[in-house]
Amino acid sequence: MNWLAGTLGSSIGKKLMMALTGLGFCGFLAGHLAGNLTIYWGKNAFNSYAEHLHSLGPLITLAELGLLFFALIHILTGTTLFYQNLKARPFRYSVNKNAGGRTIGSRTMPYTGFILLSFIVLHLINFHFVDKTGTTIYQIVHGAFANPGYVAIYVFAMIVAAIHISHGFWSVFQTLGANHVKYMPFIKGVSIVFSLIVALGFGFLPVYLAYMV
Amino acid sequence: MTKTINLTLKIWRQKGPEAKGKLETYKANDIPTDMSFLEMIDVVNEKLTLEGKEPVAFDHDCREGICGMCGTVVNGRPHGSEKGTTLCQLHMRHFSDNDTIVIEPWRSRAFPIIKDLVVDRSALDKIIQAGGFISVNTGNAQDANAIPIPQETAELAMDAAACIGCGACVAACPNASAMLFLSAKVSQLALLPQGKPEAARRAVSMVREMDRLGFGNCSNETECEAECPKEISITNIARLNREFYKAGFFSSEK
Amino acid sequence: MQLDAKIPGGPLAGKWDRYRFELKLVSPANKRKFKIIVVGTGLAGGSASASLAELGYNVKTFCIQDSPRRAHSIAAQGGINAAKNYTNEGDSIWRLFYDTVKGGDFRAREANVYRLAQVSNNIIDQCVAQGIPFARDYGGLLANRSFGGSQVQRTFYARGQTGQQLLLGAYSALMRQVGAGKVEMFPRREMLDIVVINGQARGIVVRNLITGKIETHASDAVVLCTGGYGNVFFLSTNAMSSNVTAAFRAYKKGACFANPCFTQIHPTCIPVHGSYQSKLTLMSESLRNDGRVWVPKNPGDKRFPRQIPESERDYYLENKYPSFGNLVPRDVASRNSKEQCDMGKGVGETGLAVYLDFEDAIKRHGRDVIEKKYGNLFQMYEKITAQNPYETPMMIYPAVHYAMGGLWVDYNLMSSIDGLFVLGEANFSDHGANRLGASALMQGLADGYFVLPYTIGGYLAGTSLEKITAGHPAFRESVEIVNNSIEKLLSINGKRTVDDFHRQLGHIMWDYCGMSRNDEGLKKGRKLIQQLGEEFWENVLVPGSDKDFNQSLERAGRVADFLEFAELLIIDALARKESCGAHFNEAYQTKENEAMRDDKNFCHVSAWEFAGKNKEPVFHKEELKFENVELSQRSYK
Ligand SMILES: Cc1cc2nc3c(=O)[nH]c(=O)nc-3n(C[C@H](O)[C@H](O)[C@H](O)COP(=O)(O)OP(=O)(O)OC[C@H]3O[C@@H](n4cnc5c(N)ncnc54)[C@H](O)[C@@H]3O)c2cc1C
Ligand code: HEM
Ligand code: FES
């Protein structure tokens, strides 16, 4: 296993883990969003989507464990990278400027990441680890968004997610070595579009539930 | 006749590696705008010397943008704000009268400060020692035209080989990473047929050495590419990543 | 002292092969018992260090810069010659040999030059194998271009950065040996003395430029690859740290200095503009392949170049030398620029410049083609001058560029001190009185890759070497000399900075010992230099301490040596009562103002031996015998 630890433990290996897990999350987000959109078809559609999910039984547990595993890797590696990168420049510049390479997304990756982590914990407490006997998932969600505070937190979190992804998505390709002058502009475009979809798709849900139904 | 300008300089002064440094303020008056940035520092140094003070230590040699010896951070930008330009090729016509210019050394854990604006970049040599070569002893070579290399490939290799090893990429990277430098060498040699036999070993040992030397990790901020005086592209980093995965997962390299 | 060039006998073409066979060998197992010091990491030093280590010798390598990759060779732009004849134009080893001897105005050794031409092909093979991305044609084979003074295309190039690529090749070979533990690398060290014991070079004394510590290193042989002395003129195309110190200190220890007056002035540099200027930038000679050199016909014509009609332009090179036109050798091109400017036809603010015009080339080939060929040079020009050469002609003027002179060496590249070898620009060997374009890179790599590794073996195998360490009293003596001079420099505490002296020295040299010389001027120059030297030791101001990173102190030591060396250069110029190549004495010229050699009296190498401070150096003559080429008046008409 030495070679595996050596490869994954290197700076590029860590990036690879970030990219693969990050890409996994992007995939999860896409699926999650597709599911959540059923809300627009009304509460029955949404509830039956949830039931259908749960009927998958061990499969869904497996997926959850997979996500957890990915999350652990993404978070632990991300934290290590953040710490190592801070240490690599012990003495900072007194004037900081950039040459146009950095974006809001790239600049804030670790911070948006930690915000997302807090959000995910809150999100799971809200909707996952709740007592679901005698109620439907739609009711839980609808109930939660009666509180304008929650709406604000969710909208904010989705903007943060979009920012994280706006850099993260194209960055995955670069990290995996898929940077070609012909395709990179397109990938960067997809990055922006995808993060907008996440922000609008997820972000509008709480607003819709709170004020429009 | 040429225009002249007056400037306020804030220059990092530090006696030695262990000493504490600080920004000191100097005036540079009547600087002709067709002077180069380093010549401007020369003028300041001549003045300091005559005043009985110690001149500012700074590295430089060829003064034509090829040796990679010069380089300081000027107003937050390595080699100043002109694109594709080393500090020695930066001319004062890009500044205006009464500007304040803050001049700092490259800052990175892997580049300890020697004095004032001079840093120790031997870490870059160590990265090359780890594998930035083709193992061909003198006399081993076959005829130069024995292996045709597509012009496009040769040009791509040359794009990467143009690196002058100044360290601006490290200075510019928010994480003080040396990935652009390393990737330029790995790319040049991986593109050419002559470099293929050792490609796997090269990628693995050079990356490992870079990690050991205390550089940060690449997070695709692309500041390096934007600041590189030779405009080396981050497509080289992508190529390095590919080479590294190939070596790590599909070769017998450990 | 008797100079023996040790040129092997027999027919020219077989000399090197036979000689290599006759040389004694050091067996592979014994090589690791020898320690060799290499000073300098340019093409010569880098290639020598790597090749020696590959053979098994223990090598210690030194350079001034923070990394061996930054040696001045990195700046070479145009290309490197080889007799490959890939272009099928009838090139051959013989032709390269002949062109080099003729280009050098018949003041180089036939045997050395022939060997250079012979190994030129191996260099290209080696470099390609190292992964140097030379320019290629669409078919994937190597491309060639023609380069100053040659009528065949034999120059290999990597954009305008050939020197960089070749040096990085040698550097990577060197780094490989450092990694393997066969070379110990000492960057940021300046060699300040050479230690000679029993007539053999046995070590060096260096200053650690970071800590200021004086260090001693012992060895079985010393190889100097410390580059050229062009900076004696202050303004030159050389890097700021290029110096004569290492060579000059070796001279003071008994190594003869040969032909110091042969200094090449390159015709195409960006003109001087201001008194603060610190160095001059070369515009590659390859520009003359497409650019046309001209000045206004009427002196003092201050119109914009594009407003001057064809009929009022003087394309003086094309007119004077119809067959070579703009491609005449460097010395000829430079002298003609000066002549035009002296007639008041110079252009630009200072009147010390001529036009190099691409208008016709752009019309003929289109802007794209020109951009592809010279884009990076045009960009560099624009960066420095803020003028766009696609639209207005470039302004150029000659500048000091290369030292053909250097420490005298025999066929083995060994100086007149046993065990002290000298390679690259630091020796005098192959270029005679004028170097052809793209030949210095070739020579540096030939010396380091393909000549020294053999000849040094012959020396080591055939010499008895006493066991010594750096504790030997000779080292202590050297350290004391070095320390004394450093202390002296720091204690004068005068009123003028080092650069101030250096700049003045440069003016004197340029005015009295530049592109064209006369006895009266040379004598005057010599006197001025002596005065300046005296003032230097009374009035120089060197701040800081010797126990520290101190760039003023570094420069002070170099300028002190330049001041003494400048005198030697002038002495040599005065002694050579002829004009040849880069040495143009106005008293010796043809009716058409071309250099007039005196083969009867001056077909020799002048080698100077140090006789003591303030004493005239001792003159030694190495007669040059031309058995294979006929001495002729160089004509490029
Ligand atoms: C701008 C320019 C363009 C050129 N273009 C071409 C071209 O196109 N084709 C061509 O053939 N030639 C060209 N030349 C000439 C050629 O580049 C040089 O002659 C050649 O590179 C010299 O190589 P070298 O190894 O002898 O010395 P250098 O490369 O000068 O190396 C000298 C080395 O010695 C070290 N050193 C010096 N003094 C000391 C000391 N006291 N102690 C310790 N170390 C010391 C330095 O650190 C350095 O490592 C060009 C030259 C210039 C200036
Ligand atoms: C749904 C949630 C998340 C998604 C979709 C996501 C996605 C991504 C993606 C695609 C990348 C880019 C990988 C690369 O550059 O190759 C990335 C990087 C990163 N993520 Fe996340 N992430 C999420 C959550 C988190 C969390 C909870 C953290 C908290 C620690 C985090 C921290 C980071 C950091 C620090 C990086 C940058 C690593 C680097 O480039 O050095 N992310 N993320
Ligand atoms: S001094 Fe050589 S690159 Fe600037």
PDB file of all heavy atoms in Angstrom, chain C residues 40-41 43-44 64-65 71-73 76-79 191 225-226 243 282 401-402 425 438-441, ligand 1:
ATOM      1  N   GLY C  40      32.953  28.196 -12.516  1.00  0.00           N
ATOM      2  CA  GLY C  40      32.072  28.695 -13.573  1.00  0.00           C
ATOM      3  C   GLY C  40      31.108  27.607 -14.019  1.00  0.00           C
ATOM      4  O   GLY C  40      31.457  26.428 -14.092  1.00  0.00           O
ATOM      5  N   THR C  41      29.882  28.020 -14.303  1.00  0.00           N
ATOM      6  CA  THR C  41      28.854  27.058 -14.702  1.00  0.00           C
ATOM      7  C   THR C  41      28.138  27.493 -15.966  1.00  0.00           C
ATOM      8  O   THR C  41      26.985  27.194 -16.173  1.00  0.00           O
ATOM      9  CB  THR C  41      27.806  26.891 -13.588  1.00  0.00           C
ATOM     10  OG1 THR C  41      27.263  28.192 -13.334  1.00  0.00           O
ATOM     11  CG2 THR C  41      28.403  26.329 -12.333  1.00  0.00           C
ATOM     12  N   LEU C  43      28.217  27.526 -20.275  1.00  0.00           N
ATOM     13  CA  LEU C  43      28.254  26.363 -21.162  1.00  0.00           C
ATOM     14  C   LEU C  43      29.521  25.571 -20.936  1.00  0.00           C
ATOM     15  O   LEU C  43      29.495  24.342 -20.869  1.00  0.00           O
ATOM     16  CB  LEU C  43      28.181  26.830 -22.616  1.00  0.00           C
ATOM     17  CG  LEU C  43      26.829  27.378 -23.026  1.00  0.00           C
ATOM     18  CD1 LEU C  43      26.861  27.792 -24.479  1.00  0.00           C
ATOM     19  CD2 LEU C  43      25.748  26.342 -22.786  1.00  0.00           C
ATOM     20  N   ALA C  44      30.629  26.264 -20.791  1.00  0.00           N
ATOM     21  CA  ALA C  44      31.899  25.566 -20.634  1.00  0.00           C
ATOM     22  C   ALA C  44      31.949  24.838 -19.289  1.00  0.00           C
ATOM     23  O   ALA C  44      32.181  23.627 -19.224  1.00  0.00           O
ATOM     24  CB  ALA C  44      33.054  26.557 -20.766  1.00  0.00           C
ATOM     25  N   ILE C  64      29.191  32.329  -9.240  1.00  0.00           N
ATOM     26  CA  ILE C  64      28.866  33.555  -8.512  1.00  0.00           C
ATOM     27  C   ILE C  64      27.373  33.660  -8.246  1.00  0.00           C
ATOM     28  O   ILE C  64      26.941  34.063  -7.177  1.00  0.00           O
ATOM     29  CB  ILE C  64      29.329  34.769  -9.347  1.00  0.00           C
ATOM     30  CG1 ILE C  64      30.853  34.825  -9.360  1.00  0.00           C
ATOM     31  CG2 ILE C  64      28.742  36.051  -8.787  1.00  0.00           C
ATOM     32  CD1 ILE C  64      31.406  36.021 -10.080  1.00  0.00           C
ATOM     33  N   GLN C  65      26.585  33.287  -9.233  1.00  0.00           N
ATOM     34  CA  GLN C  65      25.135  33.459  -9.120  1.00  0.00           C
ATOM     35  C   GLN C  65      24.542  32.502  -8.090  1.00  0.00           C
ATOM     36  O   GLN C  65      25.220  31.579  -7.647  1.00  0.00           O
ATOM     37  CB  GLN C  65      24.475  33.220 -10.479  1.00  0.00           C
ATOM     38  CG  GLN C  65      24.808  34.241 -11.542  1.00  0.00           C
ATOM     39  CD  GLN C  65      26.117  33.946 -12.259  1.00  0.00           C
ATOM     40  OE1 GLN C  65      26.819  33.008 -11.939  1.00  0.00           O
ATOM     41  NE2 GLN C  65      26.458  34.788 -13.221  1.00  0.00           N
ATOM     42  N   ALA C  71      24.332  31.422 -15.250  1.00  0.00           N
ATOM     43  CA  ALA C  71      25.578  31.897 -15.844  1.00  0.00           C
ATOM     44  C   ALA C  71      25.251  32.696 -17.099  1.00  0.00           C
ATOM     45  O   ALA C  71      24.211  32.509 -17.729  1.00  0.00           O
ATOM     46  CB  ALA C  71      26.476  30.722 -16.191  1.00  0.00           C
ATOM     47  N   HIS C  72      26.183  33.548 -17.463  1.00  0.00           N
ATOM     48  CA  HIS C  72      25.909  34.488 -18.533  1.00  0.00           C
ATOM     49  C   HIS C  72      25.573  33.834 -19.871  1.00  0.00           C
ATOM     50  O   HIS C  72      24.892  34.433 -20.712  1.00  0.00           O
ATOM     51  CB  HIS C  72      27.100  35.423 -18.658  1.00  0.00           C
ATOM     52  CG  HIS C  72      27.007  36.299 -19.834  1.00  0.00           C
ATOM     53  ND1 HIS C  72      25.934  37.136 -20.015  1.00  0.00           N
ATOM     54  CD2 HIS C  72      27.788  36.441 -20.896  1.00  0.00           C
ATOM     55  CE1 HIS C  72      26.089  37.763 -21.153  1.00  0.00           C
ATOM     56  NE2 HIS C  72      27.191  37.356 -21.714  1.00  0.00           N
ATOM     57  N   SER C  73      25.993  32.606 -20.076  1.00  0.00           N
ATOM     58  CA  SER C  73      25.660  31.915 -21.334  1.00  0.00           C
ATOM     59  C   SER C  73      24.159  31.917 -21.589  1.00  0.00           C
ATOM     60  O   SER C  73      23.708  31.794 -22.728  1.00  0.00           O
ATOM     61  CB  SER C  73      26.109  30.451 -21.284  1.00  0.00           C
ATOM     62  OG  SER C  73      27.492  30.347 -21.161  1.00  0.00           O
ATOM     63  N   ALA C  76      22.676  34.146 -24.448  1.00  0.00           N
ATOM     64  CA  ALA C  76      22.963  34.050 -25.881  1.00  0.00           C
ATOM     65  C   ALA C  76      21.661  33.806 -26.633  1.00  0.00           C
ATOM     66  O   ALA C  76      20.829  33.020 -26.209  1.00  0.00           O
ATOM     67  CB  ALA C  76      23.961  32.936 -26.154  1.00  0.00           C
ATOM     68  N   GLN C  77      21.503  34.505 -27.738  1.00  0.00           N
ATOM     69  CA  GLN C  77      20.208  34.480 -28.410  1.00  0.00           C
ATOM     70  C   GLN C  77      20.222  33.647 -29.677  1.00  0.00           C
ATOM     71  O   GLN C  77      19.411  32.742 -29.865  1.00  0.00           O
ATOM     72  CB  GLN C  77      19.794  35.925 -28.766  1.00  0.00           C
ATOM     73  CG  GLN C  77      19.713  36.837 -27.560  1.00  0.00           C
ATOM     74  CD  GLN C  77      19.549  38.309 -27.956  1.00  0.00           C
ATOM     75  OE1 GLN C  77      19.686  38.668 -29.121  1.00  0.00           O
ATOM     76  NE2 GLN C  77      19.262  39.153 -26.983  1.00  0.00           N
ATOM     77  N   GLY C  78      21.161  33.973 -30.546  1.00  0.00           N
ATOM     78  CA  GLY C  78      21.028  33.605 -31.952  1.00  0.00           C
ATOM     79  C   GLY C  78      21.113  32.145 -32.291  1.00  0.00           C
ATOM     80  O   GLY C  78      20.255  31.598 -32.986  1.00  0.00           O
ATOM     81  N   GLY C  79      22.157  31.453 -31.834  1.00  0.00           N
ATOM     82  CA  GLY C  79      22.251  30.065 -32.238  1.00  0.00           C
ATOM     83  C   GLY C  79      23.633  29.486 -32.077  1.00  0.00           C
ATOM     84  O   GLY C  79      24.543  30.132 -31.558  1.00  0.00           O
ATOM     85  N   MET C 191      35.617  33.158  -6.860  1.00  0.00           N
ATOM     86  CA  MET C 191      37.008  32.757  -6.759  1.00  0.00           C
ATOM     87  C   MET C 191      37.889  34.000  -6.709  1.00  0.00           C
ATOM     88  O   MET C 191      37.793  34.878  -7.559  1.00  0.00           O
ATOM     89  CB  MET C 191      37.397  31.920  -7.970  1.00  0.00           C
ATOM     90  CG  MET C 191      38.827  31.466  -7.903  1.00  0.00           C
ATOM     91  SD  MET C 191      39.403  30.879  -9.478  1.00  0.00           S
ATOM     92  CE  MET C 191      40.883  31.870  -9.631  1.00  0.00           C
ATOM     93  N   CYS C 225      36.359  28.378 -16.007  1.00  0.00           N
ATOM     94  CA  CYS C 225      35.379  28.594 -17.090  1.00  0.00           C
ATOM     95  C   CYS C 225      34.613  29.847 -16.736  1.00  0.00           C
ATOM     96  O   CYS C 225      33.395  29.832 -16.612  1.00  0.00           O
ATOM     97  CB  CYS C 225      34.417  27.429 -17.194  1.00  0.00           C
ATOM     98  SG  CYS C 225      35.211  25.833 -17.155  1.00  0.00           S
ATOM     99  N   THR C 226      35.349  30.931 -16.540  1.00  0.00           N
ATOM    100  CA  THR C 226      34.751  32.093 -15.893  1.00  0.00           C
ATOM    101  C   THR C 226      34.304  33.171 -16.857  1.00  0.00           C
ATOM    102  O   THR C 226      33.991  34.289 -16.439  1.00  0.00           O
ATOM    103  CB  THR C 226      35.735  32.671 -14.865  1.00  0.00           C
ATOM    104  OG1 THR C 226      37.011  32.786 -15.493  1.00  0.00           O
ATOM    105  CG2 THR C 226      35.855  31.745 -13.673  1.00  0.00           C
ATOM    106  N   ASN C 243      33.172  39.153 -15.199  1.00  0.00           N
ATOM    107  CA  ASN C 243      34.363  39.816 -14.644  1.00  0.00           C
ATOM    108  C   ASN C 243      35.632  39.191 -15.184  1.00  0.00           C
ATOM    109  O   ASN C 243      35.599  38.148 -15.837  1.00  0.00           O
ATOM    110  CB  ASN C 243      34.346  39.688 -13.121  1.00  0.00           C
ATOM    111  CG  ASN C 243      34.495  38.242 -12.690  1.00  0.00           C
ATOM    112  OD1 ASN C 243      35.593  37.722 -12.607  1.00  0.00           O
ATOM    113  ND2 ASN C 243      33.376  37.563 -12.445  1.00  0.00           N
ATOM    114  N   LEU C 282      21.726  43.421 -26.449  1.00  0.00           N
ATOM    115  CA  LEU C 282      22.008  42.948 -27.793  1.00  0.00           C
ATOM    116  C   LEU C 282      20.704  42.687 -28.528  1.00  0.00           C
ATOM    117  O   LEU C 282      19.758  42.185 -27.960  1.00  0.00           O
ATOM    118  CB  LEU C 282      22.787  41.636 -27.675  1.00  0.00           C
ATOM    119  CG  LEU C 282      23.129  40.944 -28.978  1.00  0.00           C
ATOM    120  CD1 LEU C 282      24.334  41.605 -29.585  1.00  0.00           C
ATOM    121  CD2 LEU C 282      23.406  39.478 -28.729  1.00  0.00           C
ATOM    122  N   HIS C 401      30.969  43.164 -26.682  1.00  0.00           N
ATOM    123  CA  HIS C 401      30.154  41.963 -26.637  1.00  0.00           C
ATOM    124  C   HIS C 401      30.915  40.717 -26.210  1.00  0.00           C
ATOM    125  O   HIS C 401      30.431  39.907 -25.442  1.00  0.00           O
ATOM    126  CB  HIS C 401      29.568  41.749 -28.033  1.00  0.00           C
ATOM    127  CG  HIS C 401      28.729  40.529 -28.160  1.00  0.00           C
ATOM    128  ND1 HIS C 401      27.628  40.323 -27.378  1.00  0.00           N
ATOM    129  CD2 HIS C 401      28.831  39.445 -28.977  1.00  0.00           C
ATOM    130  CE1 HIS C 401      27.078  39.155 -27.707  1.00  0.00           C
ATOM    131  NE2 HIS C 401      27.790  38.608 -28.658  1.00  0.00           N
ATOM    132  N   TYR C 402      32.091  40.550 -26.717  1.00  0.00           N
ATOM    133  CA  TYR C 402      32.757  39.258 -26.544  1.00  0.00           C
ATOM    134  C   TYR C 402      34.263  39.438 -26.480  1.00  0.00           C
ATOM    135  O   TYR C 402      34.814  40.308 -27.136  1.00  0.00           O
ATOM    136  CB  TYR C 402      32.402  38.344 -27.730  1.00  0.00           C
ATOM    137  CG  TYR C 402      32.994  36.959 -27.625  1.00  0.00           C
ATOM    138  CD1 TYR C 402      32.338  35.971 -26.903  1.00  0.00           C
ATOM    139  CD2 TYR C 402      34.225  36.651 -28.208  1.00  0.00           C
ATOM    140  CE1 TYR C 402      32.884  34.706 -26.779  1.00  0.00           C
ATOM    141  CE2 TYR C 402      34.771  35.388 -28.086  1.00  0.00           C
ATOM    142  CZ  TYR C 402      34.102  34.419 -27.371  1.00  0.00           C
ATOM    143  OH  TYR C 402      34.636  33.173 -27.251  1.00  0.00           O
ATOM    144  N   GLU C 425      34.825  31.133 -23.014  1.00  0.00           N
ATOM    145  CA  GLU C 425      35.236  32.483 -23.379  1.00  0.00           C
ATOM    146  C   GLU C 425      36.477  32.910 -22.596  1.00  0.00           C
ATOM    147  O   GLU C 425      37.207  33.806 -23.006  1.00  0.00           O
ATOM    148  CB  GLU C 425      34.066  33.457 -23.128  1.00  0.00           C
ATOM    149  CG  GLU C 425      34.278  34.810 -23.765  1.00  0.00           C
ATOM    150  CD  GLU C 425      33.061  35.719 -23.644  1.00  0.00           C
ATOM    151  OE1 GLU C 425      31.940  35.210 -23.442  1.00  0.00           O
ATOM    152  OE2 GLU C 425      33.243  36.948 -23.758  1.00  0.00           O
ATOM    153  N   ALA C 438      27.432  32.689 -33.481  1.00  0.00           N
ATOM    154  CA  ALA C 438      27.046  31.308 -33.180  1.00  0.00           C
ATOM    155  C   ALA C 438      28.220  30.361 -32.990  1.00  0.00           C
ATOM    156  O   ALA C 438      28.066  29.150 -33.036  1.00  0.00           O
ATOM    157  CB  ALA C 438      26.086  30.765 -34.240  1.00  0.00           C
ATOM    158  N   SER C 439      29.417  30.921 -32.787  1.00  0.00           N
ATOM    159  CA  SER C 439      30.581  30.063 -32.597  1.00  0.00           C
ATOM    160  C   SER C 439      31.035  29.967 -31.146  1.00  0.00           C
ATOM    161  O   SER C 439      31.806  29.075 -30.803  1.00  0.00           O
ATOM    162  CB  SER C 439      31.759  30.573 -33.430  1.00  0.00           C
ATOM    163  OG  SER C 439      31.505  30.321 -34.778  1.00  0.00           O
ATOM    164  N   ALA C 440      30.573  30.889 -30.313  1.00  0.00           N
ATOM    165  CA  ALA C 440      31.019  30.858 -28.914  1.00  0.00           C
ATOM    166  C   ALA C 440      30.321  29.737 -28.166  1.00  0.00           C
ATOM    167  O   ALA C 440      30.923  29.029 -27.366  1.00  0.00           O
ATOM    168  CB  ALA C 440      30.734  32.190 -28.232  1.00  0.00           C
ATOM    169  N   LEU C 441      29.037  29.559 -28.469  1.00  0.00           N
ATOM    170  CA  LEU C 441      28.299  28.481 -27.822  1.00  0.00           C
ATOM    171  C   LEU C 441      28.927  27.149 -28.217  1.00  0.00           C
ATOM    172  O   LEU C 441      29.130  26.256 -27.403  1.00  0.00           O
ATOM    173  CB  LEU C 441      26.827  28.531 -28.230  1.00  0.00           C
ATOM    174  CG  LEU C 441      26.096  29.836 -27.882  1.00  0.00           C
ATOM    175  CD1 LEU C 441      24.630  29.756 -28.286  1.00  0.00           C
ATOM    176  CD2 LEU C 441      26.198  30.131 -26.394  1.00  0.00           C
TER     177      LEU C 441
HETATM  178  C1  LIG D   1      23.831  38.929 -25.210  1.00  0.00           C
HETATM  179  C2  LIG D   1      24.738  37.862 -25.744  1.00  0.00           C
HETATM  180  C3  LIG D   1      24.332  37.068 -26.808  1.00  0.00           C
HETATM  181  C4  LIG D   1      25.160  36.070 -27.298  1.00  0.00           C
HETATM  182  N1  LIG D   1      24.712  35.311 -28.339  1.00  0.00           N
HETATM  183  C5  LIG D   1      25.508  34.313 -28.795  1.00  0.00           C
HETATM  184  C6  LIG D   1      25.054  33.484 -29.850  1.00  0.00           C
HETATM  185  O1  LIG D   1      23.944  33.632 -30.365  1.00  0.00           O
HETATM  186  N2  LIG D   1      25.846  32.488 -30.276  1.00  0.00           N
HETATM  187  C7  LIG D   1      27.067  32.274 -29.722  1.00  0.00           C
HETATM  188  O2  LIG D   1      27.731  31.343 -30.127  1.00  0.00           O
HETATM  189  N3  LIG D   1      27.514  33.059 -28.723  1.00  0.00           N
HETATM  190  C8  LIG D   1      26.777  34.068 -28.243  1.00  0.00           C
HETATM  191  N4  LIG D   1      27.246  34.856 -27.226  1.00  0.00           N
HETATM  192  C9  LIG D   1      28.520  34.562 -26.588  1.00  0.00           C
HETATM  193  C10 LIG D   1      28.392  33.407 -25.617  1.00  0.00           C
HETATM  194  O3  LIG D   1      27.156  33.472 -24.968  1.00  0.00           O
HETATM  195  C11 LIG D   1      29.444  33.397 -24.545  1.00  0.00           C
HETATM  196  O4  LIG D   1      30.676  33.618 -25.083  1.00  0.00           O
HETATM  197  C12 LIG D   1      29.491  32.069 -23.849  1.00  0.00           C
HETATM  198  O5  LIG D   1      28.220  31.714 -23.405  1.00  0.00           O
HETATM  199  C13 LIG D   1      30.447  32.066 -22.697  1.00  0.00           C
HETATM  200  O6  LIG D   1      30.295  30.876 -21.960  1.00  0.00           O
HETATM  201  P1  LIG D   1      31.285  30.516 -20.801  1.00  0.00           P
HETATM  202  O7  LIG D   1      30.855  29.204 -20.284  1.00  0.00           O
HETATM  203  O8  LIG D   1      32.665  30.633 -21.244  1.00  0.00           O
HETATM  204  O9  LIG D   1      31.100  31.635 -19.679  1.00  0.00           O
HETATM  205  P2  LIG D   1      29.833  32.237 -18.937  1.00  0.00           P
HETATM  206  O10 LIG D   1      28.577  31.694 -19.415  1.00  0.00           O
HETATM  207  O11 LIG D   1      30.027  33.706 -18.931  1.00  0.00           O
HETATM  208  O12 LIG D   1      29.974  31.700 -17.468  1.00  0.00           O
HETATM  209  C14 LIG D   1      30.882  32.218 -16.558  1.00  0.00           C
HETATM  210  C15 LIG D   1      30.711  31.464 -15.276  1.00  0.00           C
HETATM  211  O13 LIG D   1      31.802  31.723 -14.434  1.00  0.00           O
HETATM  212  C16 LIG D   1      31.365  32.115 -13.178  1.00  0.00           C
HETATM  213  N5  LIG D   1      32.366  33.028 -12.655  1.00  0.00           N
HETATM  214  C17 LIG D   1      32.899  34.119 -13.250  1.00  0.00           C
HETATM  215  N6  LIG D   1      33.829  34.669 -12.461  1.00  0.00           N
HETATM  216  C18 LIG D   1      33.882  33.908 -11.347  1.00  0.00           C
HETATM  217  C19 LIG D   1      34.646  33.976 -10.164  1.00  0.00           C
HETATM  218  N7  LIG D   1      35.545  34.919  -9.968  1.00  0.00           N
HETATM  219  N8  LIG D   1      34.420  33.031  -9.216  1.00  0.00           N
HETATM  220  C20 LIG D   1      33.502  32.055  -9.408  1.00  0.00           C
HETATM  221  N9  LIG D   1      32.783  31.943 -10.511  1.00  0.00           N
HETATM  222  C21 LIG D   1      32.973  32.866 -11.466  1.00  0.00           C
HETATM  223  C22 LIG D   1      30.031  32.719 -13.381  1.00  0.00           C
HETATM  224  O14 LIG D   1      29.294  32.614 -12.197  1.00  0.00           O
HETATM  225  C23 LIG D   1      29.485  31.842 -14.481  1.00  0.00           C
HETATM  226  O15 LIG D   1      28.936  30.689 -13.913  1.00  0.00           O
HETATM  227  C24 LIG D   1      26.427  35.871 -26.729  1.00  0.00           C
HETATM  228  C25 LIG D   1      26.836  36.658 -25.673  1.00  0.00           C
HETATM  229  C26 LIG D   1      26.009  37.678 -25.204  1.00  0.00           C
HETATM  230  C27 LIG D   1      26.523  38.563 -24.128  1.00  0.00           C
END
